[in-house]
Amino acid sequence: MNSRRQLLHLLADGQWHSGEALAGRLGLSRAAVWKQLGILRDQLGLNIHSVRGRGYKLPEKLELLDADRIRSLLANTSHDWISHIEIHDTITSTNSYLMEQASAVLQSGHVCLAERQSEGRGRRGRHWVSPFGSNIYLSLFWAYGLAPAALSGISLAAGLAVIRALRQLGVSDIGLKWPNDILCGDRKLAGLLLEVTGEQSGPSRVVLGLGMNVRLTEAEGESIDQPWVSLARVPGGEALSRNRIVAALLDNLVIVLSQFEEQGFNAMISEWRQYDLYDGKRVFLQLGAQQIEGIHRGVESSGALLLETAEGVRAYHGGEVSLRPA
């Protein structure tokens, strides 16, 4: 563990630490400690309080992500599926990182996590707000023998895995919004971004990205351009460990992704509709500059949304399509 990571672990308790004590624990000079604190402020965006005579502290306690801890919390059946877990203090984007590595010899089940993203990405090119240590930024690599076209519906299946994981952890006041958002009420809790590459007839490589607000503050979420909620404000989610949440997500994602190759999304449609917050309701679909109003009539096995209008029921696929309640 490098000195910056050691310093993070020392400060993570949210207590005051004198410069002398930190220097002694790290085996560094006080000047070197001061320099490392500056790096934590500048590169990780951490707000470190400093008071003469008391030392340094973070505004509140942090639970840092820990690969060994996550592995210890995985279900026994998940260990064979998760090939590698790597954790970065800061990264441009966990999805971009794995997409760059995907052409190399990555095994299915390779997980990338970050405490902070400088260029986190959401669906349709949106920026995903990603402050240090507040949330979960997770990407998972998966290889399929299937052609990319056969993977339609996989983002909906992944959303169902997220719902299952949160319900197992005791969070029940949640639902799905087509195609890949997890909401509490009308507020966004988490979102999925799936990127697929491969030959026309297969095989395919999938990078599944998940961003989840866990302890996002109002100040950190100021720039988000839609209603959002943090897990800490959802009944059952107030005191959940980030490491435990990650383990539950991985347990459920590997089940869904492994089943998808054999069964596709068709076997999951009825369960998905149980959690679809807009099924049977009047909605708007935004297709570029065009807006279509109709009744949401569920989803197809391809993952397409079925919209009933005066002209009948028509299927719409994701991509540039966005759903809003009427």
Side-chain angles (χ1 to χ4, degrees), residues 45-47 59-62 129-137 187-188 212-224 226-233:
L46 285 173
N47 179 21
E60 58 185 22
K61 186 176 180 180
L62 280 181
V129 175
S130 310
F132 187 93
S134 302
N135 305 315
I136 290 169
Y137 321 117
R187 296 179 176 271
K188 188 166 180 174
M212 180 179 292
N213 301 326
V214 180
R215 292 183 181 87
L216 192 66
T217 66
E218 291 293 335
E220 290 169 335
E222 266 185 0
S223 64
I224 299 176
Q226 59 185 304
W228 61 272
V229 69
S230 190
L231 195 58
R233 299 184 181 185

Side-chain angles (χ1 to χ4, degrees), residues 52-124:
R52 185 182 297 273
R54 299 194 72 181
Y56 308 94
K57 75 182 289 291
L58 294 174
E60 58 185 22
K61 186 176 180 180
L62 280 181
E63 181 199 9
L64 298 173
L65 296 173
D66 184 293
D68 291 336
R69 177 63 176 153
I70 291 167
R71 280 204 174 273
S72 74
L73 294 168
L74 289 173
N76 291 335
T77 51
S78 297
H79 287 278
D80 291 339
W81 292 107
I82 301 299
S83 60
H84 186 73
I85 300 175
E86 57 179 298
I87 298 173
H88 299 259
D89 287 339
T90 185
I91 200 170
T92 53
S93 155
T94 57
N95 253 40
S96 295
Y97 173 79
L98 282 191
M99 286 296 291
E100 291 167 4
Q101 307 295 316
S103 58
V105 188
L106 283 187
Q107 291 180 277
S108 278
H110 190 112
V111 179
C112 176
L113 292 153
E115 296 287 4
R116 173 184 179 269
Q117 295 182 120
S118 59
E119 299 174 23
R121 294 184 292 127
R123 184 169 170 263
R124 302 173 70 200

Side-chain angles (χ1 to χ4, degrees), residues 154-188:
I154 195 169
S155 65
L156 277 71
L160 184 57
V162 176
I163 290 289
R164 290 176 181 175
L166 291 174
R167 288 181 65 84
Q168 286 174 7
L169 292 168
V171 180
S172 57
D173 190 19
I174 47 175
L176 293 160
K177 186 182 84 138
W178 181 89
N180 48 15
D181 286 349
I182 292 84
L183 307 184
C184 176
D186 291 323
R187 296 179 176 271
K188 188 166 180 174

